[in-house]
Amino acid sequence: MTKITQLINLMQPYVDDGKLLKRSYEQLNECFEDFVFVTDGDQIVACAALRHYKDERKGEIYALVVNKEYHNTGISSQLMEKLIKRASDLDLIGIFALSKYGGRFFLRHGFVEGVLNSLPLTRQKGYDHQRKSTIYLKEL
């Protein structure tokens, strides 16, 4: 099974619940380099991606998923450490996430709620007002 197929399978329960946006194989293939993973053997059990906004030196966390069998095991903290390391390697000054359901997770990892104009301009323009996601920010 390819890593992208594993990603799709990992994400699907959250897509079905409406907690995660659906992404096609092609979309995931195009942004595959954005992803960090936590694995158990050769199986991906958690993933998240970091989109780089170079001009603003910020990164957006998206497609964050932890297999339900691995909840409350510390895997999400490992995932956040990998994201912060990636952001640091990119010399970013901050990271952010848009979420309708991940509030406690982000707050637990030092994020604060933010406002739309704190996002990079290109991301502000693409914000889905109907989805009404909460903006979480973290300075690095």
Side-chain angles (χ1 to χ4, degrees), residues 66-121:
V66 176
N67 181 310
K68 290 179 182 181
E69 294 177 20
Y70 290 82
H71 285 191
N72 301 312
T73 64
I75 294 289
S76 63
S77 292
Q78 289 179 38
L79 196 58
M80 185 57 71
E81 288 171 15
K82 288 177 180 251
L83 288 163
I84 290 172
K85 173 151 183 14
R86 165 88 45 98
S88 177
D89 290 347
L90 292 169
D91 196 32
L92 302 183
I93 60 171
I95 53 178
F96 66 93
L98 306 178
S99 179
K100 290 183 61 148
Y101 303 98
R104 287 186 319 200
F105 171 79
F106 290 110
L107 295 172
R108 194 171 70 236
H109 286 93
F111 286 71
V112 296
E113 286 191 30
V115 294
L116 186 60
N117 67 4
S118 61
L119 299 179
L121 187 57

Side-chain angles (χ1 to χ4, degrees), residues 3 5 13 17 37 41 43 45 66 68 88 93 118 120 129-130:
K3 286 190 175 185
T5 302
D17 289 347
F37 309 100
Q43 186 67 36
V45 297
V66 176
K68 290 179 182 181
S88 177
I93 60 171
S118 61
H129 292 276
Q130 290 181 332

Side-chain angles (χ1 to χ4, degrees), residues 4-126:
I4 294 175
T5 302
Q6 285 188 52
L7 288 179
I8 290 170
N9 292 340
L10 180 63
M11 292 177 183
Q12 195 59 51
Y14 297 92
V15 170
D16 293 345
D17 289 347
K19 294 180 178 179
L20 193 65
L21 299 174
K22 183 176 179 80
R23 290 173 175 85
S24 70
Y25 187 98
E26 293 76 19
Q27 288 170 315
L28 290 170
N29 192 47
E30 285 179 21
C31 65
F32 186 75
E33 294 301 317
D34 289 352
F35 278 87
V36 295
F37 309 100
V38 177
T39 58
D40 186 355
D42 61 353
Q43 186 67 36
I44 298 171
V45 297
C47 70
L50 185 69
R51 181 174 295 122
H52 186 189
Y53 293 85
K54 291 178 184 171
D55 292 343
E56 294 91 346
R57 294 182 52 217
K58 292 184 179 177
E60 177 180 9
I61 296 171
Y62 69 98
L64 188 148
V65 179
V66 176
N67 181 310
K68 290 179 182 181
E69 294 177 20
Y70 290 82
H71 285 191
N72 301 312
T73 64
I75 294 289
S76 63
S77 292
Q78 289 179 38
L79 196 58
M80 185 57 71
E81 288 171 15
K82 288 177 180 251
L83 288 163
I84 290 172
K85 173 151 183 14
R86 165 88 45 98
S88 177
D89 290 347
L90 292 169
D91 196 32
L92 302 183
I93 60 171
I95 53 178
F96 66 93
L98 306 178
S99 179
K100 290 183 61 148
Y101 303 98
R104 287 186 319 200
F105 171 79
F106 290 110
L107 295 172
R108 194 171 70 236
H109 286 93
F111 286 71
V112 296
E113 286 191 30
V115 294
L116 186 60
N117 67 4
S118 61
L119 299 179
L121 187 57
T122 55
R123 189 61 183 97
Q124 289 177 41
K125 292 177 181 177

